[in-house]
Amino acid sequence: MPRLLLFYRLMVRPLLQEPVRAALTVFAVALGVAVVLAIDLAGAAATGSFRSSMEALAGDNDLEVTASGGVPEDVVGTLVSLPYSIRISPRMENYAVIVDSKKSLPLIGLDFVGEGESFAQLDSASGAAPRVQENPQGPLEHFGDNDSIWLGTSLGYNVGAHIQLLINDQVREYTVRGVYPDSNGAESAIVMDIAAAQHALARYGRVDRILLKVPNAPGLNEWQQRLRGALPAGVEIHPQGTGTNENRKMLAAFRWNLQLLSYVSLVVGAFLIYNTISVSVVRRRPEIGIVRALGASRSAILFAFVGEAGCFGLAGALVGLPLGHFMATGAVKLMSATVESLYVSSQPGAIELSFTSALLALAIGVGIAVASAYSPAREAALVSPVEAMGRGRREYDVNIEKGRDLWLALALGLAAVAASRAPAIRGKPLFGYLAAILLVVASASAIPAFVHAITMFSSKLLGKLFGVEAMLASRSLAGSLRRTSVLVSALSTAIAMMTAVGIMVGSFRETVAVWMEDRLPADLYLRPGSSAAADRHPTISPGLAETIEKLPGVAAVERLRAYEIFYQEMPATLVSVDLDVLRTEPNSEYFSGRPREQVLAELRDSDAVVVSEPFTYKHGVKTGDSITLSLGEKQVTFRIADVYYDYSSERGSVLMDRKTMLRYLPDPAPSNLAIYVAPEAKLETVRAEIEQATAGHRVLLFSNRDIRAEAIRIFDRTFAITYALEAVAVIVAVMGIAGALLALVIDRRRELGLLRFLGGATGQIRKLILVEAGLLGLLANVAGLALGFALSLVLIYVINKQSFGWTIRFHWPVEILVAALTMVYAATVLAGLYPAEVAVRLNSLEVVHEE
Amino acid sequence: MLILSLQNVSKDYLSDGQRIPALSNLSLDVKRGEFVALVGRSGCGKSTLLNLAGAMDFPTAGQVLVDGVSTSSLEDAGLTRLRREKVGFIFQSFQLLHTLTVFENVELPLLLAGKPNAREAARERLAWVELDDLGHRYPHQLSGGQMQRVAIARALIHSPSILLADEPTGNLDTTTGNVILELLRRLTRQQNTATIMATHSVEAAALADMVVQLRDGKIEGITRR
Ligand SMILES: Nc1ncnc2c1ncn2[C@@H]1O[C@H](COP(=O)(O)OP(=O)(O)OP(=O)(O)O)[C@@H](O)[C@H]1O
Ligand SMILES: [Mg+2]
C-alpha cells in the first residue's frame, strides 16, 4: 500500500497536473488500440466466422458432389442405385432478389420427395437445413407447382403471400407456401422445389451440388474413395464445405493484410509513449536523484516509469475499447462489400466484442506502452543519484550517437533490400513485411543525423528568412535532438505509411485504368439485373443476345460466360470469350507481349486456355504448362497458351474459347454481353433500341464509360478502409506532436519567460512555437516521403505481388500525395496552436524565478 | 535626469485568497547614471520592486513611471516596446539560452526587437565585459563569472536607460562577484544608465551611490554617498 501511495504521489499526481497532455497521450493510445480492435472485430464479422451463404443452409452432411458447370442429374440416379444407406440431397443453389425489398438472398432448390424419404430413413432431421416438412400447414402438396416457395420467418411474409423474385434477368411471381423458423442465427433463404428452381434458372439436367450423409462406418475417406469410383471423371467428391475452407483461407489473407495495416497506428502510438516517458524521465532527473538518495532502489525507479506507461496504456485501452467497437460498425460495411466483390458471397455477422478481444485489446494497449517505455525507464533506473541532483537536464540530450546510428541505418537498409528479394513463404510475403519493418527501423536510426544536419543548416537560413523566432525554433529542436528525433520518427512513419499506401493504391488504380482500356473495348455492356459477386455469375436469358444482334445499329455482340470452378481445391473463375468477335487493341494484355488476335487464335478449336496472372502464382504454372480441369462429367487437360494481366479479382481466372466451353458445358446462356455499335450508328439510339428489345427482362446496360466508372468505384471502396487506417495513424501522430509540443513548452517555460524579459512580444512567442511545429512537420514530411517511396516499392513489387499476384506499374499519384501531405503539414502546424497559447499565457515572472 | 519614479507604490500578492503585502506605500526616484543597491532581509520585497520597475509586474496602488510613463497605463505591445528600448535585466542565475552561442545570446534582444547590426553591437558589448574572444562558445563552456558577464553584455545590448539586477553575484564566489560589481559600476557611469541592484552582500552595497534599506515592503532608510 505505501508503495502505491508513493506511486500515486510521485507519478500519477504530476500527470494529473497536465491534464491536456496526459489526455492526448491516452487518446493516442486509445486510437491505436481502437483501430486494431475495430479491424479485428469487423474482420471477424465480415470474414472470420465465414460460412458462405450456401453453406449456412447446407445442413448436416458429410460429403458433397460437385462439378464445374453443374453435376449431371443422372449422377443422382447413379448414387441412389448404389447399395448403400446414404442420404442424398441434390440441390440447386443460386441467388434471387426480392423485388420489393431489393434484398438478395440464397435461392435453394430442394428435392422434396427425395429428401423427405431420406429424412424418414435416417431419422436425422436436425441441423440448420430448412425443415419445411415440419410446417404445420403441411403444404407439401404444392411441391410440384413451379410458383411455390418457402421462406424464413424473419423475412416477414405470411403463408399465401404473393411475392416477386428477380432471378437472373427475369422477374417471376411466386406464392409463399410456408415459412420455416430462421431466427436462431440461421440464414434466411428462398426455398423451392428443385424442378421449379431449374425452371426459374433455365438450367435443366444439372444440379449445383449433391449433399451426402453417409453412415459412420467406415470412415469418411473410405466413403469418398468408394463413391468416387462410381462417379464420372469430371465430377468431384469432397468433404462438405471444402470450398468454404478454401474461401476461408483466402479471406484470412485479406484480413491479415488489413490487420497489419491497423498495427501502424499502434507503432506510431508506441513512438509517442516512448517520447512521453522520455520527457518524464528527463524532467524528473533531479527528482529521481533525490528519491534514489532517499533510499529508492533501481528497480523501484524502473517500475515507477514502466508503471506510468502502463497507466497510459490501460487508460488508452479502456477508451479504445468502446471506440474500437464503434469504428468496427463502419469498417464492417466496407469490408463485407469488398469481400462480396472480390471474394465470395457472404453475409456479415454481428459485431461481437467478446471477452477475449476485449482482453486482447487491453493487453495490446498495456503491452505496447510498457514495451516502448522500457528503454527510457531503464535509463531512469541507471541514473546515479549524485549525478542527477548535480547536473542539469541538458546532458540527457547529448548522448546520442548520430554517426553510429547512421551506419546502423545503412546496414538495415541493405538488409531490407536483401529481404525484399526473398520469395514468399506459403503464399505470405513474410520477407516483404520484414523488409518494410527494416526500412522503418533504418529510417528511425538515420533520423537523428538527418534532423541534426537539417536544423543546424536551417537555423541560419531560417533566421534570415523568417526572423529570430525561426532561428530559436530550429536551435531548440536541434538542442533536444533525441526528443525531436523521436517525434519526427513517429510522424514520418505515419506519413511514410500513408505515402506508401497512397503510391501503391494510386499506381494500382492507374494500372487498372490503363488495363480497362484494353479489356473493355465494347461500347455497351449488358448484364443480368440480379446481383453478381466474385463467385456468382447470373446469366442472361437465351435468345436475348440474338435479338440484340439483329438490331440495326449493332455491329457485333460478344457473349461472355463465367463459371465458378475449383482448381486444385481452390476457387477460380472459368471464363469463355467469343473468338468470332475479334477486336484490336493498342496494348498487349499478355505476358508474351503478343497482340490479342495472335494469342486468341491459338485457343480456336483447341484445348488451349489463357490464365490470369494471379492464377499462375496461386498454382505455380506458366505459359506452356498443362492444367486439368473438371468440366461437367469430363476431365480435360488444357495447354496454357499465355498469361494475361487481370485485376478484376484476386481469384485466378481461366479463359477459353466459347466453342470449346460449349463442347464441355453446353449451357449457351451468357453471363455478360459486350455490344459493339456500328460505326455509323449513334450510341444513344442503339442504347434506346436495346432497352426496348430487352424490355421484358431485368438487365443492366452500361456504357463503356459507366462500366469503367463502376469499376473504379468498386476499386475505391475496396481501398477506402486502407485510407481510413492511414488517416488514423496520421491523426495519432499529429496528436502526439501536439502533446510533445506542450511538453516542450512546459519544459522550456523558463526560456520562454526569459524572452519576455528580453523584449520578446507575445506574437513572437506564439510564432516560435508554431515555427517549431512547422519545422517538425517539414522534417517529418521529408523523411516520411523518402521512407514512403521506399516502402511503396516494397508494397508494389514484393508484398502485393506475392500476396495477390498482381503486376502493378509504378505511378506517382501526385495530386493525392500533394493534397495529403499538405493536409498533414497543416494539421501539424495546427497542433502547435494550443501549445503556443499555453506558451503565451505563461507567467514569465514565475517561470524565470522558479529554478 | 529622472528616469524611474515609484510613487506611493503598494503591491499585494494574492495567494489562496489571502492578501500578502509585499510593498506598501513606497516612493523612490532614480536618475540616470545612479547605481542603487536594494538591501534588506529575505522577503522584504526587493525582487518585487525590481519587477515593478521593469514593467514585468504592476502595482496594486500608486504608480511606477518609467521615463515619465506610467507602466499601468500601457498595453502589452507598449510594455514590450518599453522593455525593448529602456530596460535591461540581469539575473542571479544568469539565464542564458544554452542552445545559443555567446554572440547569439547577446544579440537576442536586438533580434527580437528586429533591429539591424546586432552582431556589431554584440561584439562591442562583449568587449566592454572583456569577453570579445569567446563569442562563439556555448554557455556550458563558460565559468559562472563569464556567464554573468555575458548576461550583462546582453542586458546592455540595446543601451537601456534602466538596468535591473537581482542578486547578480548571488551565485558567484566573492572575488568573481567583486569583479562583476566593479564592472556594473563602471558601465553604469560609462553608459549613463540607472542601475538598480538587489543584493544581500555588504561589499556590493558598499559600491553603490545610494543604498535603499527595505523592511517589510517599506523603505527603512536611504544612504547616499
Ligand atoms: N508570486 C507571489 N505570490 C505570493 N506571494 C509572493 C509572490 N512573490 C513574492 N511574494 C511574497 O512577497 C514578499 C516579497 O518577496 P520578494 O521576492 O520581493 O522578496 P525578496 O526581498 O526578493 O527576498 P529574497 O531576498 O529572498 O529574494 C515575500 O513575503 C514573498 O513571500
Ligand atoms: Mg528576491
Side-chain angles (χ1 to χ4, degrees):
Chain A
M1 266 303 124
R3 273 174 179 256
L4 263 181
L5 185 68
L6 267 183
F7 182 74
Y8 174 77
R9 278 193 192 154
L10 294 175
M11 307 304 293
V12 181
R13 209 151 60 185
L15 289 181
L16 299 181
Q17 277 158 6
E18 286 180 56
V20 177
R21 202 172 71 84
L24 278 171
T25 309
V26 167
F27 200 59
V29 178
L31 266 182
V33 170
V35 162
V36 170
L37 185 67
I39 292 301
D40 190 48
L41 292 180
T47 73
S49 58
F50 169 79
R51 293 176 80 193
S52 80
S53 305
M54 286 306 166
E55 226 48 60
L57 298 161
D60 155 44
N61 292 286
D62 302 317
L63 295 169
E64 64 184 20
V65 176
T66 55
S68 304
V71 185
E73 240 169 13
D74 52 6
V75 172
V76 180
T78 311
L79 287 168
V80 170
S81 67
L82 293 175
Y84 307 123
S85 166
I86 314 172
R87 189 182 71 197
I88 302 162
S89 325
R91 27 169 76 203
M92 294 298 286
E93 295 180 330
N94 216 294
Y95 290 83
V97 179
I98 298 179
V99 174
D100 289 341
S101 59
K102 299 213 168 60
K103 228 176 156 165
S104 178
L105 290 171
L107 166 69
I108 299 179
L110 295 178
D111 182 6
F112 287 159
V113 186
E115 299 242 351
E117 279 172 8
S118 309
F119 278 128
Q121 188 181 335
L122 284 169
D123 189 28
S124 130
S126 59
R131 286 168 294 167
V132 290
Q133 69 273 42
E134 283 183 9
N135 195 291
Q137 270 91 14
L140 276 180
E141 62 206 67
H142 291 287
F143 70 82
D145 302 354
N146 273 346
D147 70 339
S148 300
I149 55 167
W150 285 259
L151 294 178
T153 41
S154 67
L155 293 170
Y157 290 93
N158 294 324
V159 174
H162 295 281
I163 170 172
Q164 285 191 320
L165 295 181
L166 169 60
I167 300 169
N168 283 336
D169 64 350
Q170 302 227 293
V171 175
R172 293 162 191 273
E173 294 274 347
Y174 288 91
T175 308
V176 180
R177 297 294 181 191
V179 292
Y180 66 90
D182 62 355
S183 50
N184 57 336
E187 207 152 334
S188 315
I190 300 160
V191 180
M192 56 175 78
D193 180 58
I194 196 158
Q198 285 175 327
H199 176 73
L201 293 161
R203 283 174 50 209
Y204 302 98
R206 281 169 199 269
V207 297
D208 287 310
R209 195 148 66 132
I210 304 172
L211 295 170
L212 302 177
K213 173 94 186 158
V214 295
N216 285 340
L220 212 53
N221 267 343
E222 175 61 25
W223 275 113
Q224 201 175 330
Q225 295 301 330
R226 268 192 212 172
L227 295 172
R228 176 167 290 143
L231 297 171
V235 175
E236 305 194 11
I237 180 161
H238 296 290
Q240 190 203 347
T242 304
T244 298
N245 287 338
E246 290 311 320
N247 274 316
R248 212 174 261 166
K249 266 187 221 155
M250 218 161 56
L251 291 176
F254 162 71
R255 243 181 109 181
W256 144 271
N257 275 296
L258 277 181
Q259 269 167 339
L260 281 179
L261 273 181
S262 76
Y263 283 109
V264 173
S265 296
L266 218 50
V267 170
V268 175
F271 272 115
L272 298 175
I273 290 273
Y274 174 88
N275 183 54
T276 304
I277 302 302
S278 295
V279 167
S280 172
V281 170
V282 178
R283 264 192 203 166
R284 314 261 193 88
R285 243 184 120 86
E287 228 173 274
I288 295 167
I290 296 166
V291 177
R292 287 271 284 125
L294 295 181
S297 66
R298 280 193 197 290
S299 59
I301 301 288
L302 183 78
F303 279 122
F305 284 97
V306 167
E308 182 183 9
C311 285
F312 278 123
L314 188 67
L318 286 176
V319 178
L321 275 178
L323 194 62
H325 192 259
F326 172 74
M327 284 159 94
T329 52
V332 77
K333 288 201 190 83
L334 284 170
M335 272 169 104
S336 49
T338 299
V339 165
E340 187 98 351
S341 58
L342 249 54
Y343 299 94
V344 60
S345 313
S346 71
Q347 295 263 320
I351 293 170
E352 280 163 34
L353 181 54
S354 68
F355 183 69
T356 31
S357 2
L359 215 59
L360 188 73
L362 286 181
I364 286 175
V366 176
I368 203 98
V370 167
S372 38
Y374 183 77
S375 144
R378 215 177 83 91
E379 198 167 329
L382 292 180
V383 161
S384 101
V386 183
E387 206 187 348
M389 284 189 289
R391 279 202 303 184
R393 72 192 168 93
R394 188 170 45 77
E395 271 75 5
Y396 163 75
D397 270 327
V398 179
N399 61 13
I400 178 164
E401 293 180 42
K402 301 187 288 283
R404 190 202 59 192
D405 288 355
L406 210 53
W407 282 112
L408 182 67
L410 189 70
L412 288 168
L414 289 175
V417 172
S420 70
R421 306 203 157 230
I425 297 175
R426 283 208 239 110
K428 277 190 183 165
L430 294 184
F431 280 108
Y433 289 119
L434 180 66
I437 293 168
L438 285 172
L439 282 176
V440 171
V441 181
S443 139
S445 321
I447 273 176
F450 166 72
V451 168
H452 183 76
I454 297 288
T455 46
M456 282 331 252
F457 169 76
S458 68
S459 78
K460 284 217 170 59
L461 188 75
L462 283 176
K464 288 224 171 62
L465 283 177
F466 300 110
V468 61
E469 304 90 338
M471 188 267 274
L472 287 172
S474 60
R475 280 310 172 78
S476 130
L477 289 184
S480 45
L481 186 57
R482 175 143 143 198
R483 177 192 301 202
T484 310
S485 303
V486 171
L487 288 177
V488 171
S489 295
L491 186 56
S492 70
T493 304
I495 291 177
M497 291 294 179
M498 190 188 77
T499 308
V501 170
I503 293 177
M504 190 270 281
V505 176
S507 301
F508 199 179
R509 203 170 188 269
E510 182 70 15
T511 307
V512 168
V514 169
W515 167 80
M516 277 196 299
E517 300 259 320
D518 297 332
R519 260 290 285 259
L520 301 171
D523 303 299
L524 291 165
Y525 289 86
L526 188 130
R527 70 167 195 236
S530 72
S531 54
D535 62 341
R536 244 196 260 178
H537 310 285
T539 52
I540 299 167
S541 299
L544 209 54
E546 288 71 18
T547 313
I548 294 170
E549 228 163 20
K550 291 197 190 92
L551 293 173
V554 173
V557 173
E558 179 177 8
R559 296 162 181 78
L560 302 143
R561 176 64 195 255
Y563 284 100
E564 152 98 345
I565 63 165
F566 277 81
Y567 177 69
Q568 290 182 341
E569 319 234 309
M570 278 192 226
T573 309
L574 178 67
V575 191
S576 72
V577 295
D578 232 338
L579 288 187
D580 295 331
V581 185
L582 269 187
R583 71 262 173 150
T584 47
E585 291 107 38
N587 303 308
S588 171
E589 46 177 303
Y590 297 94
F591 270 27
S592 65
R594 292 181 296 167
R596 183 185 160 96
E597 309 94 273
Q598 206 181 323
V599 176
L600 293 190
E602 279 190 47
L603 304 191
R604 195 180 286 274
D605 301 325
S606 83
D607 283 341
V609 292
V610 286
V611 299
S612 73
E613 187 185 9
F615 188 90
T616 62
Y617 299 120
K618 278 211 163 71
H619 302 289
V621 292
K622 57 181 188 308
T623 304
D625 290 356
S626 293
I627 52 171
T628 301
L629 302 178
S630 306
L631 298 177
E633 53 268 56
K634 293 212 184 66
Q635 277 201 305
V636 192
T637 302
F638 292 92
R639 187 176 62 82
I640 298 176
D642 213 328
V643 178
Y644 66 101
Y645 295 104
D646 180 22
Y647 305 98
S648 57
S649 165
E650 187 203 316
R651 14 169 80 218
S653 306
V654 178
L655 188 144
M656 62 174 68
D657 179 15
R658 180 169 168 83
K659 293 214 179 82
T660 313
M661 185 186 270
L662 287 177
R663 246 192 294 144
Y664 303 107
L665 303 170
D667 183 359
S671 328
N672 296 291
L673 298 181
I675 301 161
Y676 294 83
V677 173
E680 68 283 356
K682 272 186 70 179
L683 182 69
E684 282 318 305
T685 329
V686 177
R687 190 179 178 138
E689 281 172 8
I690 296 174
E691 270 162 10
Q692 215 170 8
T694 57
H697 303 265
R698 286 289 179 99
V699 290
L700 300 171
L701 191 59
F702 295 92
S703 72
N704 192 302
R705 226 195 29 230
D706 292 344
I707 203 159
R708 282 187 209 186
E710 165 80 357
I712 289 291
R713 198 184 58 78
I714 291 177
F715 182 92
D716 288 342
R717 188 185 59 197
T718 305
F719 286 101
I721 203 159
T722 323
Y723 282 132
L725 288 177
E726 300 319 313
V728 173
V730 171
I731 292 172
V732 171
V734 169
M735 284 196 329
I737 296 279
L741 283 171
L742 212 52
L744 212 70
V745 165
I746 290 160
D747 288 355
R748 292 220 327 264
R749 57 192 183 277
R750 188 186 61 84
E751 273 182 31
L752 295 170
L754 180 68
L755 288 179
R756 300 284 279 146
F757 274 90
L758 300 181
T762 43
Q764 287 178 307
I765 307 286
R766 191 178 288 123
K767 186 171 163 194
L768 171 64
I769 302 298
L770 290 181
V771 170
E772 259 180 58
L775 258 176
L776 277 176
L778 191 70
L779 288 169
N781 263 316
V782 172
L785 199 59
L787 175 62
F789 172 68
L791 286 177
S792 77
L793 296 180
V794 175
L795 273 181
I796 291 177
Y797 297 112
V798 185
I799 294 181
N800 227 296
K801 182 121 188 188
Q802 290 182 1
S803 49
F804 302 110
W806 279 318
T807 295
I808 300 174
R809 269 154 244 182
F810 192 90
H811 168 84
W812 283 101
V814 177
E815 291 118 53
I816 291 188
L817 281 186
V818 168
L821 293 181
T822 314
M823 248 161 62
V824 172
Y825 188 71
T828 325
V829 177
L830 287 181
L833 279 180
Y834 177 70
E837 262 341 278
V838 172
V840 165
R841 302 254 162 86
L842 287 175
N843 179 337
S844 25
L845 273 179
E846 279 178 14
V847 295
V848 169
H849 292 291
E850 219 167 43
E851 213 56 9
Chain B
M1 191 189 123
L2 190 64
I3 185 75
L4 176 70
S5 175
L6 284 74
Q7 302 178 344
N8 306 95
V9 164
S10 296
K11 175 70 185 175
D12 298 335
Y13 288 107
L14 275 181
S15 180
D16 297 329
Q18 264 205 300
R19 257 186 28 166
I20 302 168
L23 296 177
S24 26
N25 202 17
L26 177 150
S27 297
L28 179 70
D29 288 339
V30 185
K31 296 195 196 64
R32 289 191 79 142
E34 272 186 327
F35 188 18
V36 180
L38 287 180
V39 297
R41 237 184 264 141
S42 178
C44 67
K46 303 184 291 292
S47 298
T48 305
L49 195 155
L50 289 180
N51 291 334
L52 295 182
M56 291 303 295
D57 206 351
F58 308 95
T60 329
Q63 51 183 349
V64 176
L65 300 177
V66 175
D67 210 1
V69 179
S70 166
T71 56
S72 308
S73 70
L74 292 173
E75 296 286 312
D76 187 63
L79 291 169
T80 302
R81 184 144 24 84
L82 184 135
R83 267 175 242 136
R84 283 178 179 179
E85 288 167 3
K86 303 218 159 72
V87 189
F89 289 94
I90 298 168
F91 306 88
Q92 177 176 354
S93 48
F94 324 135
Q95 306 282 16
L96 300 179
L97 297 189
H98 57 73
T99 52
L100 302 187
T101 62
V102 166
F103 268 140
E104 289 164 342
N105 264 291
V106 176
E107 300 170 336
L108 193 54
L110 280 190
L111 294 178
L112 285 170
K115 300 257 169 63
N117 303 333
R119 183 53 56 98
E120 276 156 53
R123 212 182 299 267
E124 191 190 10
R125 302 308 185 273
L126 282 173
W128 292 353
V129 299
E130 290 154 18
L131 284 180
D132 22 359
D133 45 347
L134 299 185
H136 291 291
R137 289 210 189 161
Y138 281 91
H140 66 264
Q141 296 165 319
L142 300 178
S143 73
Q146 287 170 330
M147 282 197 238
Q148 194 59 302
R149 280 194 275 160
V150 173
I152 291 171
R154 182 177 69 185
L156 293 173
I157 186 83
H158 53 306
S159 311
S161 32
I162 303 174
L163 188 59
L164 302 170
D166 199 343
E167 297 181 39
T169 58
N171 278 12
L172 301 171
D173 63 83
T174 323
T175 327
T176 319
N178 285 340
V179 175
I180 295 292
L181 289 169
E182 264 309 326
L183 187 62
L184 276 178
R185 192 163 81 141
R186 179 162 60 77
L187 291 171
T188 303
R189 295 275 180 283
Q190 255 174 31
Q191 303 303 314
N192 196 30
T193 58
T195 302
I196 308 173
M197 169 179 71
T199 182
H200 282 287
S201 114
V202 185
E203 287 106 326
L207 283 170
D209 304 322
M210 177 159 98
V211 178
V212 178
Q213 186 86 37
L214 287 184
R215 189 194 180 100
D216 296 339
K218 294 192 185 76
I219 296 183
E220 204 179 34
I222 297 183
T223 323
R224 288 177 188 274
R225 73 194 87 209

